Amino acid sequence: MANSLIVSAKTLQSRDGLSMVKAEMNWDLSQLVENTEQTAIQKKLEVMVTEAERIREKYHSKIHALDAKGLLNLLETKDAYVLRFEGVEMYCRLMYSADSTSDLAKQLNDAVRRASMKVDQSLAFVDIELGGLLADKPSLVKDPVLTEYKHYLERILRRVPHMLSETEERVIITKDKNGINAWEMLQSDWLSTRTFDIQIEGKTKTLPYGEIIGLYQSPDRDLRKRANQTVYKDLGKDNIIWASAIRAVCEDHVEICTLRKYPTPMTQSLIANDVDQQTIDSLMTTIQKSVSVYQRYLKLKAKLMRLKKLANYDLVAPLPSGPEKSYAWKESRIEVVGAYRQFDEEMGSWVDEMFERRHIDGETRKGKTSGAFCSSWMAGKSAYILQSFNGRIGNVYTQAHELGHAVHAYQRSKAGQKPSNFPVGSCIAETGSIFGELLLTERLLSKAKTREEKQAILTTLLDEFGMAAFQVSARVFFEQSMYDSIKQGKFLDGETVARLWVAARDKVYGDSVDWLDVMKWEWTMKVHYYIANYRFYNYPYVFAQLFVFALYRLYKEQGKSFIPKLKTLLAAGATKSPRELASELGFDITKGTFWEKGIAQAQEFMVMLEKTL
Ligand SMILES: [Zn+2]
């Protein structure tokens, strides 16, 4: 039962014999800084600000005169600066994401936000002046001295037509702090501090958001239904807050698009993700053409659940016939490390190191950010992961997923990628993680003894695939429809946004699922719609899902010889565009035929599942 799992995770705190497990499930952030004293942290943040000012003094108004060597010096100075203060920034932000109710975490998070804003303001000139320099001397991009930064400079050149003057950029940073950034923070803080009352085994329990969503995957159908009903009914009550936040962030984006001369609301994200419109159009068209494949899976799942039709609370639910297997933290570690080790010994050792050095926060607690993430730690050649681990098979998959991000970080560190080349656009950023899920599937399937176990594994994988490729596509259609509505002069109040969400959702699901009425409020809790200056968060996940399923097909065809190719792709960081990376593997991602390969791989898993019937 989901409930007993949650309770057991809680009691770990009080049982002596298990206190070791609790420690293992809490990350050790102290490795990020030399000194964890609050005053030392704050001092370091102050130095971070003054050092940025020093870079400003040295280079402001001088970048236009730099030659290739001078430019190399600037880029290396900037990279060294990032590495020096990365740890302290992560320390403050990660501590807050693990417990936003802690006073210390609140203070440090506030301090890091203020310091980063000052740094951004001091260094805003670099990209602007660099843009100006490259606009004047585009040949610098190809200068052999700057080989390591070639694609980095190409990407800046692409942003040049949309840059504003330094004064304007500084004003934007300043007004965003208490504008869209504050709306984003309100949505996230409001959500993570909500509690929900729900009846479990005759008793009323009050659960934080991060815990009650664990019930969505409970084997008890009625409990799943009540959990969904409770959460979305309560979230809907605050629809004025959510709608105000989403409206402010979207309308601000529309204004910014005009100011920056972006032809469409998606352009900024296309540039950030290093992809082009043709590729994304081809991807989304493939999805629209393939909704029947997803709907076929949903019907298959209904059959496995002995239902006429799925309800929304069955979408990611375990099968009723499935074994009630719950995973202890240690077991999860064995499976996930083993999955990576079977593919590649080195990757397995990196994953194991993540556990060994306590870089994963798995405990559930109030005030902890919902969902899961992985933060690369460049200076430490490692990463940190946050997740809420309740022992479900889905949590094991999340762990394999986030550790795939960590593997990606290790691979880039090993290749010696500079900070400028380290952050990968979201389309490629999910390659290691989704590939890891497929490796976990392979391992679990090979160990499965019964057809019920196989069904549980394949439905977990295909549920995830369906969510990432199709449900997430609904979010892309939804976001697009909000911008279309704003353009038509519509006011986005809660009910209007809800109608747009339902329309986008139905485009994907047709009539294959029964939705609770309150599910119209599903958009309220999706942090992605509220992220300031980061619009269209979602399509890269659709991209990644089909991209990796297609890569996996290649692995199955080529066997071991594929492994170094994947490692090369992961090691490349941002030195090549997704289009280039794919073409090195023989694919053209502007063509629908490529994306259909990913769909075909999913269909193959569906056939495996059908065979278990
Ligand atoms: Zn991910």
Side-chain angles (χ1 to χ4, degrees), residues 191-211:
L191 185 66
S192 68
T193 50
R194 289 313 84 199
T195 55
F196 301 86
D197 291 341
I198 188 161
Q199 289 276 322
I200 298 173
E201 288 162 7
K203 283 187 194 131
T204 304
K205 297 224 165 168
T206 303
L207 301 177
Y209 183 73
E211 262 180 47

Side-chain angles (χ1 to χ4, degrees), residues 17-222:
L18 290 166
S19 60
M20 268 292 288
V21 178
K22 176 179 151 53
E24 277 176 29
M25 288 177 77
N26 280 270
W27 56 20
D28 172 15
L29 297 179
S30 68
Q31 297 162 36
L32 291 165
V33 286
E34 305 88 52
N35 187 341
T36 55
E37 298 262 330
Q38 187 176 356
T39 46
I41 301 281
Q42 273 162 336
K43 179 85 205 125
K44 182 123 194 194
L45 289 173
E46 281 162 28
V47 178
M48 178 171 105
V49 173
T50 48
E51 287 293 307
E53 282 161 8
R54 203 163 293 170
I55 295 177
R56 182 180 172 83
E57 276 160 32
K58 189 170 170 197
Y59 284 102
H60 189 258
S61 305
K62 293 183 188 113
I63 294 182
H64 68 274
L66 292 178
D67 59 6
K69 256 216 161 105
L71 180 53
L72 181 68
N73 272 334
L74 163 67
L75 295 173
E76 284 181 338
T77 303
K78 220 177 126 223
D79 277 345
Y81 171 81
V82 170
L83 283 182
R84 204 174 141 201
F85 298 101
E86 181 199 25
V88 72
E89 276 205 88
M90 278 177 79
Y91 184 82
C92 300
R93 291 187 199 279
L94 295 185
M95 185 189 274
Y96 184 72
S97 65
D99 186 0
S100 64
T101 63
S102 139
D103 284 336
L104 175 63
K106 273 189 241 176
Q107 283 167 27
L108 291 183
N109 187 52
D110 191 49
V112 77
R113 275 184 65 232
R114 273 184 282 120
S116 306
M117 190 197 71
K118 284 184 194 156
V119 169
D120 288 348
Q121 284 180 329
S122 289
L123 299 182
F125 78 96
V126 176
D127 277 2
I128 300 159
E129 290 190 28
L130 205 52
L133 172 68
L134 295 177
D136 285 350
K137 293 187 222 163
S139 62
L140 277 173
V141 172
K142 292 197 175 93
D143 196 295
V145 171
L146 293 158
T147 309
E148 215 177 338
Y149 290 97
K150 181 170 180 274
H151 193 56
Y152 175 76
L153 297 173
E154 281 170 347
R155 283 184 290 137
I156 293 180
L157 200 54
R158 197 175 164 196
R159 294 206 302 266
V160 165
H162 310 291
M163 283 175 176
L164 305 173
S165 71
E166 197 202 336
T167 321
E168 288 168 318
E169 295 286 357
R170 284 170 72 100
V171 169
I172 287 178
I173 293 169
T174 310
K175 67 100 186 153
D176 278 357
K177 181 173 172 278
N178 296 302
I180 48 173
N181 292 347
W183 283 112
E184 176 192 336
M185 223 171 109
L186 173 69
Q187 191 273 346
S188 153
D189 288 351
W190 196 254
L191 185 66
S192 68
T193 50
R194 289 313 84 199
T195 55
F196 301 86
D197 291 341
I198 188 161
Q199 289 276 322
I200 298 173
E201 288 162 7
K203 283 187 194 131
T204 304
K205 297 224 165 168
T206 303
L207 301 177
Y209 183 73
E211 262 180 47
I212 195 165
I213 58 173
L215 301 179
Y216 294 172
Q217 288 176 312
S218 162
D220 179 346
R221 190 169 193 236
D222 184 59

Side-chain angles (χ1 to χ4, degrees), residues 372-374 401-402 405 429-430 433-434 437 537 541:
F373 65 76
C374 173
H401 178 100
E402 298 306 333
H405 285 301
E430 295 301 317
S433 56
I434 299 172
E437 289 179 36
Y537 177 97
Y541 292 84

Side-chain angles (χ1 to χ4, degrees), residues 535-554:
R535 309 285 70 220
F536 285 100
Y537 177 97
N538 286 291
Y539 71 79
Y541 292 84
V542 184
F543 181 115
Q545 198 69 33
L546 293 193
F547 184 71
V548 177
F549 268 53
L551 288 189
Y552 185 74
R553 218 169 166 69
L554 204 60

